[in-house]
Amino acid sequence: MLTVINTTKRTKLPYYLLLLVLVIFSLATLFPFLWMISASLRTDVDLFKNPMNWIPQTLYLDNYKEVWQAIPFAQYFLNTVKLSVIITVLQVVICSMAAYAFAKLKIPFKNLIFILFMTNLMMPWHSIMVPQFSVVSSLGLYNTHSGYILIQLFSGFGIFLMRQFFMSLPNELNEAARVDGYNEWKIFWRIMMPLSAASLSTLTIFTFTFMWNDYLAPLIYLNDDNLKTLQLGLKAFQTEHTMDYGLLMAGTVLATIPMVAVFLAGERFFIQSVATTGMKN
Amino acid sequence: MMTNQRLRNYKSYIPGTLFILPAFVLFAIFIFIPLVYGLVMSFTDYGGFNVTPNFVGLDNYSRLLQDDYFLISLKNNFIYTLLFVPLTMLLALFAAIALNNILHLRKYLRISFYFPYITSMVSIAIAWGLLFNPVSGPINYILKAIGIANPPEWLMSSQWALLAIILVAVWKSFGYYMIILLAGIQGIPQHLYEAAELDGASKFQQFLYVTLPSLSPTLFMVMVLTIINSFQVFDLVSVMTDGGPGRSTNVLVFRIYQEAFVNYRMGYAAAMSTVLFLIIMVISLIQFRLEKKWVTY
């Protein structure tokens, strides 16, 4: 859909002027990242030279070595991967199951429950974070990974997105499968889930990006150093090393690389997923 | 016979109920109970420790009205909204329209505009913090190089810090809304443009009378999303300024966080959360009301 090209006639000069504006605009957008990388490859002495050299004279790689010793980077990284993957998989499955039930099965008080679930779309998490914290700590789950995981598994958005898709599938599909002796569980896993790859990847991308970058909820729920995520680690690192630009930027670059790699690998899906959610909202 | 029929009815509910059960239990424990509990909590002096909370009626709410710190955070948040929403929308709309009219470098441009959105708030807040450093940061270096003798102190100045945060927030998120608007623009039927061209409409007139009206539902949705978003800002403030200098960048969620998890005044923080909830509810309701009036095809 995004590849449709406007083919109306245009004069050359304004076109190239617009292109030039866009290229400058994009360089300005990317500038902080370029500077981040450049700063991570310098000694601080080199960085604060006046006048500033924009291209480092010699590549200084020690920042990338030191950052692993300065913070338990590997531990933070593993925690982040673990939490993001577990939450994404469970949330996608739980939301899809509920969505399938709303779209194709009988549920008592279906509309009432659906409306209740959808209030989650309008209600920002921030407005319930204080009482939610009380509930989670009274269950003894404060400062545990399971507590953080549990609060992230329900998503009104996920249920809504998947339900829209399942509703677009013909009911005959279910009926035929039932005649063939499939039970609902089998229909869900063998027929519905494989058919919904596009919606599933949208939801997966959204959930994973959000969880990888989440900061406020881990800040509230994860206190011990061995439980912390990359974002918390980076923030703590910043507080201690505000003056150590090169080291700080090396940590930031390292924490950003995995997400960027995932993004560049699935760029088409990322962009498409935003476009679809935009249309469906 | 009757019981058999009824039994079959019940049975037909079993699969659906089982499929929805995990989501339902999670929703009940982690969303619905907190929602109700939060309202109750806002009428108490609950402090988050094992001390029995007292019921204080509307005390928390009447205190809010006289609490300078809270009112300042509310004011800052409204300033943030008033600048963030139009700036983001204008930039996103400009980028979307421009990209739609460009054949070269489309993929590169789209990726570069969207790129900040996928990176974490914490990373970019740290990087921008260094960029904005008044002495050693490149932004003031550039400003001085182009002849501005006394560039702002940015995050260290109470006049400029909020603006700096807003600029970073706009930079971070305009690409996301650009993609939504681009999808909206490309969903406009081509025959509308052909008809306008036959009627002799110029490019600008086509934009004014075809693109904008057809895009109004998407624009409206983007506006609501950005407004709601602007009341949830936290990460940038926490990493870049910690609410300061003074109270100049303290916003609503940051204030709630401080009261609840730094000062342990959970009852009071719950009352603030109710205010946040009401603000967003009102925005959502206005959206439902206005959608039919504003959105024209």
Side-chain angles (χ1 to χ4, degrees), chain A residues 238 242 245, chain B residues 122 124-135 137 139-140 143 151-169 235-250:
Chain A
Q238 179 221 25
T242 322
Y245 279 31
Chain B
V122 176
I124 60 124
I126 292 174
W128 276 97
L130 302 185
L131 289 169
F132 273 127
N133 188 305
V135 185
I139 290 180
N140 276 6
L143 289 179
E153 299 245 286
W154 300 114
L155 301 177
M156 294 176 189
S157 129
S158 45
Q159 279 96 13
W160 291 93
L162 188 60
L163 185 72
I165 287 180
I166 293 168
L167 291 178
V168 176
D235 304 8
L236 286 178
V237 170
S238 166
V239 179
M240 287 173 77
T241 60
D242 219 12
R247 295 166 176 185
S248 61
T249 56
N250 206 305

Side-chain angles (χ1 to χ4, degrees), chain A residues 6-105:
Chain A
N6 190 346
T7 48
T8 41
K9 290 165 285 174
R10 63 176 72 76
T11 42
K12 285 256 156 122
L13 185 66
Y15 175 78
Y16 285 105
L17 224 62
L18 181 63
L19 188 61
L20 185 68
V21 170
L22 282 180
V23 169
I24 294 171
F25 190 26
S26 86
L27 288 177
T29 312
L30 294 178
F31 170 73
F33 297 106
L34 301 174
W35 185 83
M36 202 191 268
I37 294 168
S38 153
S40 73
L41 293 170
R42 299 147 174 262
T43 61
D44 278 0
V45 181
D46 184 22
L47 196 61
F48 297 133
K49 249 184 207 152
N50 210 347
M52 194 181 272
N53 325 303
W54 292 95
I55 311 287
Q57 300 300 304
T58 47
L59 289 188
Y60 178 75
L61 292 166
D62 282 11
N63 288 328
Y64 282 94
K65 279 183 223 149
E66 279 169 38
V67 73
W68 296 82
Q69 279 108 49
I71 44 170
F73 200 91
Q75 174 83 55
Y76 295 155
F77 185 82
L78 286 177
N79 287 340
T80 313
V81 172
K82 173 191 155 190
L83 291 174
S84 308
V85 170
I86 292 178
I87 290 168
T88 304
V89 171
L90 288 178
Q91 195 199 89
V92 167
V93 171
I94 289 169
C95 288
S96 305
M97 281 171 61
Y100 174 60
F102 279 123
K104 301 288 180 196
L105 300 175

Side-chain angles (χ1 to χ4, degrees), chain A residues 136-200:
Chain A
V136 171
S137 24
S138 68
L139 293 171
L141 293 169
Y142 166 65
N143 204 16
T144 62
H145 275 172
S146 17
Y148 175 69
I149 291 170
L150 280 169
I151 61 162
Q152 306 289 13
L153 293 185
F154 178 88
S155 157
F157 168 76
I159 294 174
F160 181 74
L161 188 77
M162 293 310 295
R163 174 180 166 268
Q164 294 291 96
F165 176 78
F166 290 138
M167 298 231 298
S168 72
L169 296 176
N171 287 330
E172 285 78 16
L173 211 60
N174 300 58
E175 278 149 28
R178 277 172 207 141
V179 171
D180 282 350
Y182 274 37
N183 61 31
E184 295 302 331
W185 186 244
K186 235 173 159 181
I187 296 176
F188 174 70
W189 279 110
R190 299 258 177 92
I191 300 173
M192 292 294 148
M193 290 299 259
L195 278 175
S196 54
S199 303
L200 283 175

Side-chain angles (χ1 to χ4, degrees), chain B residues 21-51:
Chain B
L21 199 62
F24 188 81
V25 172
L26 288 165
F27 174 81
I29 299 176
F30 296 107
I31 292 168
F32 191 71
I33 290 176
L35 190 64
V36 177
Y37 184 44
L39 197 63
V40 175
M41 204 192 252
S42 73
F43 297 110
T44 70
D45 60 1
Y46 181 57
F49 296 108
N50 288 332
V51 184

Side-chain angles (χ1 to χ4, degrees), chain B residues 40-168:
Chain B
V40 175
M41 204 192 252
S42 73
F43 297 110
T44 70
D45 60 1
Y46 181 57
F49 296 108
N50 288 332
V51 184
T52 339
N54 301 304
F55 182 76
V56 295
L58 286 168
D59 270 15
N60 285 330
Y61 291 95
S62 58
R63 240 175 80 199
L64 278 181
L65 295 174
Q66 294 143 25
D67 180 348
D68 278 354
Y69 210 163
F70 171 73
L71 295 176
I72 286 171
S73 72
L74 208 55
K75 190 190 96 189
N76 287 339
N77 218 138
F78 276 107
I79 295 173
Y80 181 95
T81 307
L82 281 176
L83 288 171
F84 171 78
V85 173
L87 283 176
T88 307
M89 287 184 70
L90 277 175
L91 217 54
L93 187 62
F94 164 75
I97 290 167
L99 263 187
N100 192 48
N101 284 296
I102 286 284
L103 297 169
H104 299 88
L105 299 175
R106 285 168 70 89
K107 195 173 168 184
Y108 157 76
L109 290 168
R110 215 170 51 191
I111 291 180
S112 64
F113 294 149
Y114 184 60
F115 198 72
Y117 189 75
I118 58 133
T119 56
S120 89
M121 275 289 192
V122 176
S123 312
I124 60 124
I126 292 174
W128 276 97
L130 302 185
L131 289 169
F132 273 127
N133 188 305
V135 185
S136 54
I139 290 180
N140 276 6
Y141 181 85
I142 295 172
L143 289 179
K144 277 179 194 155
I146 61 170
I148 296 166
N150 290 310
E153 299 245 286
W154 300 114
L155 301 177
M156 294 176 189
S157 129
S158 45
Q159 279 96 13
W160 291 93
L162 188 60
L163 185 72
I165 287 180
I166 293 168
L167 291 178
V168 176

Side-chain angles (χ1 to χ4, degrees), chain B residues 242-276:
Chain B
D242 219 12
R247 295 166 176 185
S248 61
T249 56
N250 206 305
V251 285
L252 200 46
V253 173
F254 192 72
R255 192 82 274 273
I256 295 174
Y257 170 80
Q258 284 180 322
E259 280 298 292
F261 303 107
V262 180
N263 304 331
Y264 299 106
R265 283 194 283 260
M266 297 244 171
Y268 195 46
M272 291 179 187
S273 307
T274 312
V275 173
L276 173 66

